[in-house]
């Protein structure tokens, strides 16, 4: 990878793509760090997959989704990678000769709304460190939800649905993928318990109404 200090990024997706490719350099295989749906639906061929951990960033279900997992009227949520803490996920190695075909498709998927900030991050893996491309989100982005209450999450899990399904399905699929790879995410586990508690509460109310009737 080219060793350079990246200048301030334009928000033009084409310019961001060109800069990202320039930073990669094209002389070696390309690594992608997956922390959300890329883990269970990468949609690209890869030569190797490793457990990886990034320090200085964390996964959080705090990114508004107005199309994929919600609507403008009833926004859903997807994961973003925010500064602070650490994040365990998977690092995929894409062969250098496959990058020209893979990257435009990955870019269209992740950067369609020009919300993420693509960054090359140091990932610690069982076979040594690698520099991988990760799609991060600034806490100042309009897509960042800020602090959400438990009731906000319950409502979103119960109501929000987009062209690819519900926010709850998305969160559960990510949790299942992490769990199957031996990765614990206690924050996500706590959030998913909220959907269970709401469902139990609704069932209790329904049962009470049935008895009253």
């Amino acid at each position: 990878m080219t060793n350079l200090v990246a200048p301030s990024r334009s928000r033009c997706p084409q310019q961001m793509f060109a800069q990202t490719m320039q930073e990669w350099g094209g002389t070696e295989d390309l690594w992608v760090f997956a922390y959300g749906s890329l883990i269970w639906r990468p949609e690209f061929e890869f030569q190797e997959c490793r457990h990886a951990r990034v320090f200085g960033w964390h996964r959080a279900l705090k990114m508004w989704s107005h199309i994929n997992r919600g609507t403008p009227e009833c926004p859903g949520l997807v994961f973003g990678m925010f500064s602070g803490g650490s994040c365990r996920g998977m690092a995929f190695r894409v062969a250098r000769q496959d990058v020209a075909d893979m990257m435009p498709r990955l870019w269209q998927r992740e950067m369609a709304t020009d919300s993420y900030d693509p960054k090359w991050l140091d990932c610690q893996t069982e076979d040594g460190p690698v520099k991988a491309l990760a799609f991060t989100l600034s806490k100042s982005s309009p897509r960042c939800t800020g602090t959400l209450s438990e009731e906000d999450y319950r409502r979103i899990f119960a109501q929000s649905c987009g062209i690819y399904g519900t926010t709850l399905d998305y969160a559960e699929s990510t949790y299942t993928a992490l769990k199957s790879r031996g990765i614990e995410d206690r924050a996500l586990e706590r959030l998913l318990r909220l959907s269970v508690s709401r469902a139990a509460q609704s069932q209790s109310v329904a049962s009470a109404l049935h008895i009253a009737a």
Side-chain angles (χ1 to χ4, degrees):
M1 177 175 298
T2 304
N3 185 16
L4 52 79
V5 177
S8 298
R9 288 184 178 272
S10 160
R11 293 312 302 179
C12 170
Q14 293 80 9
Q15 291 181 9
M16 294 175 77
F17 178 79
Q19 183 172 331
T20 298
M21 294 299 285
Q22 180 186 22
E23 291 166 358
W24 167 54
T27 60
E28 55 193 35
D29 292 347
L30 184 149
W31 289 88
V32 177
F33 180 71
Y35 60 89
S37 62
L38 279 176
I39 294 177
W40 47 273
R41 190 168 56 87
E43 296 184 327
F44 57 80
E45 297 294 325
F46 53 89
Q47 302 301 309
E48 183 182 359
C49 180
R50 299 182 191 174
H51 283 78
R53 187 169 189 170
V54 174
F55 292 92
W57 298 86
H58 68 280
R59 171 179 42 245
L61 194 61
K62 291 186 175 182
M63 182 176 181
W64 290 120
S65 175
H66 301 99
I67 298 174
N68 291 349
R69 298 291 172 172
T71 65
E73 298 75 24
C74 186
L77 298 171
V78 291
F79 286 103
M81 193 171 174
F82 299 89
S83 60
S86 67
C87 181
R88 294 179 63 196
M90 305 301 295
F92 296 101
R93 180 172 63 85
V94 180
R96 180 176 59 84
Q97 64 269 22
D98 296 335
V99 172
D101 176 66
M102 179 278 289
M103 272 296 287
R105 291 185 286 109
L106 178 64
W107 203 262
Q108 177 59 37
R109 167 177 166 166
E110 299 298 318
M111 296 295 291
T113 59
D114 185 26
S115 298
Y116 287 116
D117 294 315
K119 295 183 183 296
W120 295 99
L121 301 180
D122 294 319
C123 299
Q124 306 302 317
T125 81
E126 62 268 31
D127 293 318
V130 298
K131 183 83 74 173
L133 177 63
F135 293 93
T136 71
L137 190 69
S138 169
K139 293 177 182 177
S140 64
S141 168
R143 295 285 299 281
C144 175
T145 66
T147 301
L148 294 174
S149 68
E150 291 187 354
E151 187 52 41
D152 288 331
Y153 279 108
R154 289 190 183 98
R155 174 180 49 78
I156 292 168
F157 285 152
Q159 299 176 4
S160 297
C161 184
I163 61 174
Y164 292 134
T166 67
T167 292
L168 181 58
D169 285 345
Y170 167 85
E172 288 179 334
S173 294
T174 302
Y175 177 77
T176 299
L178 291 169
K179 193 84 170 175
S180 69
R181 290 161 176 80
I183 300 173
E184 288 189 7
D185 188 325
R186 292 189 176 90
L188 176 55
E189 186 175 352
R190 284 194 297 270
L191 290 181
L192 290 174
R193 285 200 192 107
L194 298 176
S195 68
V196 174
S197 65
R198 184 184 182 111
Q201 183 182 42
S202 298
Q203 182 64 38
S204 176
V205 171
S207 297
L209 291 173
H210 177 73
I211 293 171

